[in-house]
């Protein structure tokens, strides 16, 4: 699904289309709208070259509330974006089978939903490879191992 960045009702359209896509494809249940959002923080780690900051990500469980605003307030808080009206996020269903990616390009904001991600061999192969890569933070490797085991 795509929304033109310059659309007059951009925020409302992104929010509406995201909800229809994700509720319909199984990111969450309409009665229990919980799912994971990839949360990131920049920290100083020993693995960074010359003390460069490294971005560390983890899955944060969230639940939609009646006043949710993915493309507005969520993006402004940098939970679902890079500022008000600039969505940028990765989401995962609680069972690990649905992945959603939202990103804003120069002209369009795209949201892609992949069902049964665990059945995509290239995803699984990449996950296995990442679990063996010492450059990947240990928390990420552990999370990938849990996902691979959970969806085997």
């Amino acid at each position: 699904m795509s929304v033109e960045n310059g659309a007059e009702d951009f925020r409302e359209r992104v929010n509406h289309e995201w909800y229809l896509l994700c509720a319909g494809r199984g990111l969450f249940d309409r009665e229990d709208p919980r799912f994971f959002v990839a949360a990131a923080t920049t920290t100083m780690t020993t693995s960074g070259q010359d003390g460069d900051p490294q971005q560390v990500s983890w899955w944060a469980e969230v639940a939609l509330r009646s006043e949710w605003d993915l493309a507005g307030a969520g993006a402004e808080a940098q939970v679902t974006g890079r500022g008000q009206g600039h969505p940028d996020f990765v989401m995962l269903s609680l069972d690990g089978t649905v992945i959603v990616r939202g990103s804003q390009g120069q002209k369009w904001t795209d949201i892609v939903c992949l069902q049964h991600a665990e059945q995509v061999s290239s995803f699984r192969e990449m996950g296995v490879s990442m679990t063996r890569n010492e450059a990947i933070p240990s928390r990420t490797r552990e999370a990938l191992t849990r996902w691979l085991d959970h969806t085997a």
Side-chain angles (χ1 to χ4, degrees):
M1 148 274 104
S2 297
V3 176
E4 190 171 10
N5 293 335
E8 196 170 305
D9 57 348
F10 172 79
R11 186 178 54 81
E12 293 82 7
R13 285 187 55 204
V14 168
N15 287 338
H16 178 76
E17 296 296 332
W18 171 86
Y19 183 85
L20 292 177
L21 178 70
C22 293
R25 299 276 174 99
L27 177 65
F28 56 83
D29 183 292
R30 292 176 198 253
E31 300 301 316
D32 182 17
R34 295 179 303 129
F35 55 95
F36 293 115
V37 173
T41 188
T42 302
T43 62
M44 298 302 285
T45 65
T46 57
S47 63
Q49 293 180 328
D50 301 321
D52 291 341
Q54 298 293 305
Q55 191 167 33
V56 178
S57 297
W58 67 94
W59 290 113
E61 185 177 334
V62 298
L64 287 183
R65 295 173 48 178
S66 59
E67 65 275 3
W68 68 274
D69 182 7
L70 175 92
E76 184 174 10
Q78 298 193 0
V79 174
T80 57
R82 296 172 279 116
Q84 173 82 15
H86 300 283
D88 187 15
F89 54 84
V90 178
M91 299 169 175
L92 178 68
S93 62
L94 293 181
D95 68 1
T97 63
V98 178
I99 296 175
V100 177
R101 172 74 171 113
S103 63
Q104 189 172 58
Q106 288 184 351
K107 294 184 180 184
W108 296 89
T109 294
D110 301 312
I111 299 176
V112 177
C113 179
L114 176 62
Q115 292 176 291
H116 305 293
E118 78 284 2
Q119 295 177 7
V120 179
S121 61
S122 60
F123 273 26
R124 294 193 71 79
E125 290 165 9
M126 181 173 49
V128 169
S129 174
M130 290 174 70
T131 64
R132 297 176 181 148
N133 184 342
E134 294 294 321
I136 304 287
S138 62
R139 290 178 71 183
T140 301
R141 291 187 316 232
E142 291 164 6
L144 280 165
T145 298
R146 286 191 304 275
W147 178 74
L148 289 164
D149 291 346
H150 174 75
T151 58

